[in-house]
Amino acid sequence: MNGILIYTEEEARRNAFAVEKITGLLEIPLVISGKDEIPDKIDFAVNRTDNAEIAEALEVRGVRVFNPYSLSLLANDKRKCYEFMQKNGIEIMPINQATAPVVEKPIDGKGGKNVSLITENGFEIKEGYVYQKPASDMGKDLRVWLIGGEIIASILRVNNNDFRSNFCLGGEAHIYNMSKDEQRLVQKIASLLEYDYIGMDFVFDNGRAVFNEIEDAVGARMVYEKTDIDILKLYCDYIKSEMGK
């Protein structure tokens, strides 16, 4: 079975460890999105670009894409994702807020980039952003990694100096043992999705985990730093199983 790993040029540089790991374990080449030609005859593609259009174009050709187009489309548009979760009975922090305090998020943002906490009214509602009520327990969230329906790891991120808890922004990370209710919530959300390897993020409101977002091309740095789980090997083993290898 012939496959490829797809990254943007910038993300391939930032994730050199993952590139080496995935290409080595699956014995597939790296393709740089927007720069390299995608081969005509491939059976599968590991899409690490957050670009749903790439997944859609490949699926039209009959290529098995990890993660599928439907997941990439949902995960990389926060408004669509929040509306989907609300429609399916999953609690979120309220969106479309017009009064402060409010968290302003770009609908296609990741890693806390361009996310702002607005504390005064009279703010401008910008196109391409969602405006969400902040959770009460700010600077704290939970990242859960899943592969093919199985919870692999869960890590709590805490930042005492920023309302954003992202590890890349200086937050601390700790292994987190989810409660039975939290595990049931994760599995309920997972049952609504078609996915292969994702991160699922939760904020805490009055101590209760509330869905925040899905990470499509989820990073693994925290898993390798805080656990002994070789999550990228698990992902590659899963891909091989899916492709009958």
Side-chain angles (χ1 to χ4, degrees):
M1 304 292 282
N2 297 317
I4 57 171
L5 170 65
I6 311 174
Y7 267 100
T8 64
E9 191 166 14
E10 178 183 356
E11 288 299 306
R13 284 195 300 268
R14 289 184 64 246
N15 294 278
F17 171 78
V19 169
E20 182 178 1
K21 189 93 172 176
I22 295 171
T23 56
L25 289 171
L26 295 178
E27 299 180 332
I28 58 175
L30 169 66
V31 170
I32 299 297
S33 173
K35 183 177 179 181
D36 299 334
E37 290 291 330
I38 293 178
D40 289 331
K41 295 181 179 180
I42 55 171
D43 302 298
F44 71 94
V46 183
N47 180 24
R48 300 284 293 170
T49 67
D50 288 332
N51 188 330
E53 292 181 359
I54 290 176
E56 181 181 32
L58 288 169
E59 287 182 3
V60 167
R61 289 170 47 182
V63 176
R64 171 68 162 93
V65 184
F66 301 83
N67 287 307
Y69 164 70
S70 60
L71 187 283
S72 293
L73 186 68
L74 188 68
N76 295 298
D77 186 321
K78 287 183 171 58
R79 182 174 289 115
K80 285 182 181 178
C81 189
Y82 288 138
E83 290 172 352
F84 174 85
M85 293 300 166
Q86 283 185 308
K87 179 181 177 181
N88 286 280
I90 302 299
E91 182 185 9
I92 64 167
M93 297 306 298
I95 58 173
N96 302 323
Q97 301 296 289
T99 57
V102 64
V103 178
E104 179 186 73
K105 301 178 179 179
I107 61 172
D108 59 350
K110 62 181 296 186
K113 187 176 181 180
N114 296 323
V115 175
S116 301
L117 176 63
I118 299 173
T119 57
E120 296 182 2
N121 289 321
F123 56 89
E124 176 189 0
I125 302 293
K126 302 175 186 175
E127 187 72 23
Y129 284 78
V130 292
Y131 293 84
Q132 187 172 38
K133 179 180 178 181
S136 64
D137 305 0
M138 299 184 71
K140 173 183 176 182
D141 81 347
L142 173 65
R143 164 70 56 82
V144 182
W145 286 260
L146 300 97
I147 297 176
E150 181 181 354
I151 296 172
I152 305 300
S154 54
I155 292 180
L156 184 71
R157 303 181 293 189
V158 180
N159 194 332
N160 295 319
N161 301 309
D162 196 311
F163 76 96
R164 299 166 297 178
S165 57
N166 304 74
F167 196 47
C168 62
L169 298 176
E172 298 178 357
H174 311 278
I175 296 171
Y176 182 83
N177 294 316
M178 288 188 291
S179 68
K180 293 294 185 183
D181 285 345
E182 289 166 346
Q183 292 179 43
R184 280 192 286 267
L185 176 58
V186 170
Q187 294 291 6
K188 180 180 179 181
I189 296 169
S191 72
L192 302 172
L193 307 171
E194 182 184 0
Y195 72 95
D196 299 298
Y197 171 43
I198 58 171
M200 200 180 290
D201 290 353
F202 297 85
V203 292
F204 289 88
D205 192 52
N206 296 312
R208 188 180 72 260
V210 176
F211 174 82
N212 191 39
E213 59 190 35
I214 300 166
E215 290 288 340
D216 177 9
V218 62
R221 178 184 166 195
M222 283 188 294
V223 177
Y224 282 102
E225 287 199 9
K226 301 298 177 180
T227 79
D228 59 0
I229 299 169
D230 191 347
I231 194 166
L232 291 176
K233 183 180 185 302
L234 294 178
Y235 185 33
C236 290
D237 289 345
Y238 165 83
I239 292 170
K240 290 177 183 179
S241 176
E242 286 289 296
M243 298 306 300
K245 296 180 71 175

